[in-house]
Structure formats: structure tokens, C-alpha cells
Amino acid sequence: MTRPIYFTTPIYYVNDAPHIGHTYTTVVTDVLARFHRMRGRDVRFLTGSDEHGQKIERAAAARGLEPLALADEMVARYRALWSALGIAPDDFIRTTEPRHRKGVEALYAKIKARGDIYKDRYAGWYCTSCESFYPENQVVDGRCPDQGHKVEWTEEESYFFRLSKYQEPLLNLYRERPDFVFPETRRNEVVAFVAAGLKDLSISRSSFRWGLPFPDDPKHVLYVWFDALSNYITALGYGAPKAPLYERYWPGIHLVGKDILRFHAVYWPAFLLAAGEPPPRQIVAHGWWLRDAAKISKSKGGVVDPLPFIRDFGADALRYVLLREMVFGQDASFSDEAFVDRVNTDLANDLGNLASRTLKMIEDYRGGVLPAPSDGAGDAALVEAARAAWDGLVEGFESYALQSGLQRVSDLVGALNRHIVQHEPWKMARDPGQARGLDDLLYAVAEGLRIAAVLLAPVIPTAAQTLYAAVGGDGEVSAVSLAAFHWGGLRPGARIVRGPSLFPRIDKAAFLGSAAVNEQRMETTDKGKDPVPAPAITPAAPSAAAPPPAAGPAEITIDDFTKIELRTAKVLEAERVAGADRLLKLTVDIGTEKRTIVAGIAARYAPDALVGRTVVVVANLKPAKLRGVVSQGMLLAASDASGAPYILTTEDPGVPAGWRVK
Ligand code: MSP
């Protein structure tokens, strides 16, 4: 067994709600944690919240709140987002917790015992947005060099850490461990920064109160980055008389955005070296999500809210797109259009359609039972494609090449689709002489899909499990080992499970045109305003919330209501209506007869996904012609602000057709 792996995300500031940038780091870390677990490793995954400092104090004041009340509110939103994304870290640390303070004090005491702390005066520029000090020569037009925020002149008594003493030890560290900072371009930046000389670092502030009390001097609070960086070890119990988690998991791998690389690759290892503790195992920096070429940020605007994407298309779709659209390490642009195209191409068309056509063929040609292949070795070309996908994904994910790893799985899906087209199984099915060939084909494609599900499990855990079970896989897909490639994992004779389509195709025109939703997604916080002195804060209501109900139609009596005959119905057939993107033509059984119903639900439902489901229809509605088809009733669906439909169905899917609904 290889040594345990400890992955961390940055701990996020609680001045405002999470956006797509924070989402990205956390999704990537979750994907890596899942991947390494499937590789058989002992993994720990930490995230949390950074709650002290001037930025939070000011944000809270602007809302008339105590800092801790603001933190509580934002932590709830972060936690809710992680859970909506299927992210379950092993621990979530808040810097306002007593266990954190204890650990920070222990770290400080060790550094002090080495003689690396002294008292002096600080006079210089401070950027509250970055919570960072900048020397005179780095400030450009009154703004910080990193992100262009306004800086403030600060003069105060301060305690200093002898960072300058660690210039050589740090350079040695980078030299001895070339992958300490990844990717290499970032490593080079860090080396250049340190080689240019390090000044001692002010690690206390005395001009505001919201922070951990400075251990030696209650007039000061501890500099927020000293406080924050320590979370990576305080969450492991550092400073307690016994810290088995620290023994087992430290040093860890820190996933960070490039904006906070210096803090992680320079200050943090220096603090640890000073304390005589091992420096981190690796600092892995990714690029920025941009909107209109500017960094998406709470203080600069262009904020993209992840919640509407999750609500409308599911966590898996967002997780996949984030990984697939960004070359790890580089910047990328987030656009709604690219989101839709990626979901429709990779997930709905290629993977989703392959899965539904394969399952339908097994159902139609083999009664829903997976046939035994005539030769266990399988079709050589397909086995090769599966092996290449496996090796490609594993190699990619082992080295943070997430995008190219996923591309290898798309290649496998493409090969499986081409295999079907080339061999025309629908023709084989009509020829009894080709029965064994058809068995081979069905088994091979199902097995290829199983392998795709296993490889995609870290990225799209829910859909991967559905797909894996659908083709007859046993147990949990996440329990399958990614240690070694193995063809033939499916058991002949297994029953396939045909359910709703994995990823319904998104109606692009409807989606991009839904101004209300896009407005919410594009919602900016303090765009155009300077974040200093007081960042503006958006209202607490999640932007995913439905608009307030408008004044409705006039009151009706129960007699009026009973005039409407609502019945349960079973969908027997479903197809698209030519020339109408939003419409599906359904044949439903309403208990007493079959009816044709045209429903505007194609934006969220693929026809296949509806067959067999129980829906609710208005059975006594006057027939009406829609796009040339006579609709003999109406299907009930709820719709969100964008008009996206959510069909009404019964709690127990076994409710038969024809029951009265009231
Ligand atoms: N609290 C500090 C981190 C302390 S870690 C000891 C902080 N918090 S933050 O809320 O501003 O989050 C910063 C992190 O969020 C970035 O490092 C990055 O991981 C992520 N992102 C924030 N905006 C981003 C983009 N526009 N694009 C990609 N990731 C970005 O800094």
C-alpha cells in the first residue's frame, strides 16, 4: 500500500457566497480524492472556511452583522453547495473553532522558541481584499500588483516573522523537490520570487479586532494568513497531546488557485520549517475561470452562481464541464454556451445515447438479460480502446491532466458508438445465423460502457453508478478498483436496468434565451465598485430561489376545482415533434383509453426517459391542435423561472393508470 494522501482545498473567505471559482477547486479536489480512493489509497480530504481578518470584519459591518453571524450564514451556504455537488469532505474546518486556535498557538510557540519572532513597527501598503502587505516598489498606481485592488497605507506596531532567514532553505527545498510546486511554470515563478530576496513578514495587526488574539500580546490579532494556513494541520489535531491524524496524513497536497500560490509555496513552508515540522508534500496551482477576460471574483464581479446549473442539469453535468473545459493549470473562460455544448455533445449525445441504445437492444433482442460472449477475450479492437481509455485516464489523473484523461474516455465512447454503426446489430437481429455475433456485440458494448462508468465515477458519481447498474454491474461503482485494467467484469446473465436517460439533451436556444436565469447566473456583487473600504454584499437569498409568487388568478370554489378531471396516466410511447424543439408527443394510457398528448417538456426530458413513467394529466380538456398534432389532454408539470419543466408524478411509481387525482 502506498502512503496515505491528504488533499486540501483553500479555506474560503466568508465575506460572500461561493461562486464557480471556489466550486472548481473543490470539485477538482473531490474528484482527485475519489480517484485515489478507487486506486486503493488511504485518502483524507479537507475543506473549510477562513473567517477572521479585516475583510470579513468589514463585510459583516456593511451588513450590520457580527462577523461570526456572517460566517455562520456563509458556511451554511458553502456546506449546502458542497452537498448539492455530491462532495463529502472528511472534515470541514472553521478557523473560529477552538481546536483550530489551539493548534495555531502550538505552531506559533514552536516558531517563537526558535527565535524567529520579533516586535517592530510596520509601515507600508496593505490590500484588504488579498489580506496582504506589499512593499512600496510593488504597488502600481495605488493598487496591488496581484489583482489590482486598492491598497491602504498602514502604520502600526507589529510582530514579525524572520522570513528572510528562510530564503536559502526554501530555494533548497524547490531544488531538491522539483515537483514541490506544480505545474512547472508556477514553480519557476515561485523560485524567481524567492530568489529576488525575502523581507521579514508582519504577522500581527493591531488596527482592528476580528482575529485570533496574538499569543504574546492581546493588543494584537494574528495576521489572517498565519491563522488560515495553519488550518491544514490544526484540522489534523496538531497541537493536541496526541495527534494520530497528523502522524498519518501530514504532509499534505494543497490544491489552490494561482492567486494564492505565494502564501502556500513561500510563507507556509517557511513557517513549518521554522517550527521544525515537515513542509507540505506538494502545492498544486490551477488557473482562473474568467468571464470577459477578467477573473471571476467576489470583489471584481462577473460572478457565476453554480446553483442554477446544478438545479437545472444536475451536479454531474456541472462537475464534468468544469473538469473538461479547463486545461488544468491554465485559465479558461466560462460561458453558458460552452456549458450546453459540452453537456449535449459528450454526455447527452455520445455517452447517454450509447447507453440508451445499448440497453434497448439488450431488452429488445435478449429480453433484458446480458448475453454471454462466445469468446471471453472480446473484440480485440474494443478491448484495446478500453485499455487505452483506462491507461489514459489513470495516467492523466495521476498527474493532474484531468482534461486529457477525460478525453481518453470520450475516445472509448466514440469507439463503442462506431462499433455499433459498423456492425449494424439491427440487421444481425433479423438473421438467426448471426445470433452469436450479436451476443458478442451486445456484451462487448455493455462491458465497454461498464468500463466508461468506472473511469468516470470520480467525476460524475451519480450518473456513473446509474450506468454501471444499468449494464448489470454488481454493487457500487466506486468500490471497483482502478488499480489494474480488467476486461470482462460483467456477468453474463445479469439483468440490465433501463431507466430514464442519463443526461437529457439541453435545448440550447431555450436555455441561452432564458434571460431571467442568465441574469441570475451573471449576478455580480460589487462589480465596478472598489472593494475597499466596504465590499458590497448581495442579499442572503440564494439566487436559485424562485421569484416571489405573482398575484394569482381569482379564488375558485371546490366545485370549480372538481370540474377538472385529473388522472394518473402511464406513458406508453414518446417521440419528438418535428420542427418543435420543446414539444414531445406522448401516447398515454389514462386507465380507460389511450390518448395522444403533446407536452412542452422536451427541454428537460428525452423521449426515452418518459416511457413507463406515471404522470398526471388533465383528462377532460378540450382537444387542441399543436403543430399539426391533436392533443387530447394536458400533462402537469411545475416550471422554474426559466420555464424549464419538472413533470408531476406519483410518489410510488407503481400507481396504475386511471386513478383520480384531487
Ligand atoms: N481564504 C483564502 C485562502 C486561504 S487558504 C489557507 C482565499 N479564499 S477565497 O475565498 O478567496 O478563495 C480563493 C480560492 O478560490 C482560490 O485560490 C481558488 O482556488 C478559488 N477561486 C476563486 N476565484 C476563482 C476563479 N475565478 N477561478 C478559479 N478559481 C478561483 O483566498
Side-chain angles (χ1 to χ4, degrees):
M1 179 118 174
T2 48
R3 62 177 162 153
I5 305 190
Y6 177 39
F7 282 120
T8 68
T9 73
I11 50 172
Y12 300 104
Y13 286 132
V14 291
N15 59 319
D16 204 347
H19 60 61
I20 208 84
H22 314 114
T23 305
Y24 177 72
T25 317
T26 319
V27 165
V28 166
T29 313
D30 181 64
V31 168
L32 291 171
R34 288 171 183 268
F35 167 76
H36 285 279
R37 283 193 180 117
M38 288 177 72
R39 294 277 286 160
R41 296 178 181 132
D42 173 5
V43 175
R44 191 167 178 86
F45 165 21
L46 173 74
T47 190
S49 51
D50 188 354
E51 305 188 10
H52 291 129
Q54 203 163 14
K55 173 169 166 140
I56 313 297
E57 190 179 77
R58 287 176 174 177
R63 293 232 352 239
L65 292 173
E66 286 300 319
L68 192 57
L70 175 66
D72 286 345
E73 180 187 315
M74 292 305 160
V75 165
R77 292 177 73 167
Y78 270 98
R79 283 183 188 275
L81 174 62
W82 302 152
S83 123
L85 279 162
I87 294 172
D90 295 298
D91 196 357
F92 186 113
I93 185 148
R94 299 183 56 171
T95 53
T96 46
E97 288 176 71
R99 63 169 172 156
H100 175 68
R101 176 169 171 178
K102 247 193 247 150
V104 172
E105 285 172 355
L107 182 69
Y108 172 83
K110 277 194 127 181
I111 298 175
K112 188 178 170 219
R114 300 256 178 143
D116 283 343
I117 309 275
Y118 64 93
K119 190 169 164 184
D120 203 341
R121 267 193 85 69
Y122 178 79
W125 295 103
Y126 192 77
C127 171
T128 309
S129 207
C130 304
E131 295 284 14
S132 185
F133 301 94
Y134 291 102
E136 182 76 57
N137 62 354
Q138 284 188 18
V139 170
V140 189
D141 294 336
R143 295 188 175 266
C144 77
D146 290 339
Q147 310 218 33
H149 300 123
K150 243 190 184 155
V151 292
E152 292 166 273
W153 184 256
T154 311
E155 282 192 48
E156 57 192 17
E157 181 184 273
S158 180
Y159 289 84
F160 282 79
F161 166 67
R162 287 188 208 283
L163 182 63
S164 54
K165 187 174 143 188
Y166 291 90
Q167 179 177 3
E168 272 315 308
L170 285 171
L171 289 171
N172 284 340
L173 175 70
Y174 308 142
R175 209 172 299 126
E176 280 159 22
R177 290 168 44 189
D179 66 347
F180 179 73
V181 178
F182 180 90
E184 203 186 340
T185 47
R186 301 282 167 232
R187 172 186 182 270
N188 296 342
E189 285 169 21
V190 170
V191 171
F193 178 84
V194 175
L198 292 175
K199 285 206 163 58
D200 288 351
L201 181 71
S202 162
I203 56 157
S204 82
R205 306 281 321 268
S206 51
S207 52
F208 68 93
R209 299 306 318 147
W210 180 238
L212 285 179
F214 195 76
D216 289 324
D217 188 341
K219 289 198 303 300
H220 291 240
V221 294
L222 194 61
Y223 173 42
V224 67
W225 272 101
F226 187 100
D227 168 350
L229 288 160
S230 313
N231 91 87
Y232 299 128
I233 58 174
T234 63
L236 295 176
Y238 181 81
K242 276 212 160 69
L245 288 176
Y246 182 69
E247 299 301 321
R248 179 159 151 195
Y249 289 107
W250 189 253
I253 300 177
H254 304 313
L255 273 292
V256 297
K258 64 179 185 181
D259 47 330
I260 54 173
L261 181 58
R262 180 167 33 104
F263 301 96
H264 284 81
V266 182
Y267 301 169
W268 178 226
F271 296 156
L272 289 164
L273 289 173
E277 302 291 349
R281 183 160 155 190
Q282 193 174 37
I283 317 293
V284 180
H286 63 72
W288 284 343
W289 282 102
L290 306 173
R291 194 120 195 168
D292 305 327
K295 182 191 173 214
I296 291 170
S297 104
K298 287 183 252 195
S299 56
K300 287 191 187 160
V303 169
V304 180
D305 181 353
L307 283 170
F309 288 92
I310 301 170
R311 179 196 60 198
D312 293 348
F313 311 111
D316 284 343
L318 182 60
R319 292 170 64 104
Y320 182 84
V321 173
L322 286 176
L323 259 71
R324 189 65 182 77
E325 287 294 305
M326 181 176 260
V327 177
F328 193 88
Q330 296 176 17
D331 292 348
S333 235
F334 191 91
S335 91
D336 290 358
E337 188 164 4
F339 177 89
V340 179
D341 287 344
R342 186 55 73 189
V343 172
N344 281 348
T345 308
D346 289 15
L347 300 177
N349 284 3
D350 294 350
L351 180 67
N353 282 349
L354 173 67
S356 46
R357 75 206 286 207
T358 305
L359 295 168
K360 181 146 175 34
M361 287 191 295
I362 298 176
E363 196 165 273
D364 291 352
Y365 307 148
R366 295 294 180 262
V369 174
L370 192 69
S374 52
D375 166 10
D379 178 276
L382 281 190
V383 177
E384 223 13 72
R387 183 191 301 278
W390 186 285
D391 292 347
L393 182 121
V394 167
E395 206 183 298
F397 278 35
E398 287 281 353
S399 57
Y400 309 108
L402 305 170
Q403 192 204 37
S404 60
L406 285 178
Q407 179 57 50
R408 301 286 81 80
V409 184
S410 295
D411 295 345
L412 167 63
V413 170
L416 295 168
N417 270 317
R418 280 193 303 279
H419 190 76
I420 294 180
V421 173
Q422 275 162 12
H423 292 83
E424 303 185 309
W426 43 93
K427 288 191 182 154
M428 295 167 97
R430 292 199 294 268
D431 174 2
Q434 297 205 53
R436 294 192 63 183
L438 183 58
D439 284 351
D440 286 346
L441 179 142
L442 294 175
Y443 183 88
V445 177
E447 173 64 7
L449 275 168
R450 181 192 72 90
I451 288 173
V454 170
L455 296 175
L456 291 173
V459 182
I460 50 169
T462 309
Q465 177 60 37
T466 309
L467 174 60
Y468 177 77
V471 294
D474 287 327
E476 295 289 313
V477 67
S478 57
V480 177
S481 168
L482 272 176
F485 173 72
H486 166 58
W487 177 268
L490 284 179
R491 217 171 8 88
R495 208 152 244 294
I496 58 126
V497 187
R498 236 184 112 205
S501 75
L502 279 181
F503 292 99
R505 203 184 151 71
I506 302 172
D507 179 339
K508 187 168 172 182
F511 172 67
L512 296 180
S514 58
V517 173
N518 286 342
E519 277 307 299
Q520 286 177 356
R521 288 209 181 93
M522 286 294 295
E523 177 186 316
T524 59
T525 50
D526 45 352
K527 188 173 192 173
K529 281 191 233 155
D530 198 285
V532 176
I537 298 291
T538 39
S543 54
E555 231 172 39
I556 58 167
T557 64
I558 188 77
D559 291 342
D560 292 330
F561 178 72
T562 49
K563 283 187 202 149
I564 305 171
E565 188 193 354
L566 297 175
R567 289 202 177 275
T568 56
K570 279 269 182 230
V571 181
L572 304 175
E573 290 163 18
E575 60 186 90
R576 297 192 181 276
V577 175
D581 279 352
R582 288 170 167 271
L583 299 183
L584 290 185
K585 178 180 154 196
L586 310 177
T587 308
V588 300
D589 172 4
I590 63 159
T592 47
E593 61 186 289
K594 278 191 196 171
R595 292 271 185 91
T596 299
I597 289 183
V598 178
I601 55 171
R604 282 198 72 247
Y605 296 92
D608 275 1
L610 290 164
V611 175
R613 295 183 75 174
T614 305
V615 293
V616 179
V617 300
V618 182
N620 62 337
L621 194 69
K622 195 168 163 197
K625 214 176 199 178
L626 292 169
R627 296 282 177 139
V629 184
V630 178
S631 181
Q632 306 160 302
M634 185 171 104
L635 177 141
L636 297 191
S639 53
D640 64 15
S642 70
Y646 293 71
I647 58 166
L648 293 196
T649 178
T650 52
E651 187 199 24
D652 180 342
V655 169
W659 282 11
R660 187 79 201 256
V661 178
K662 44 192 182 185

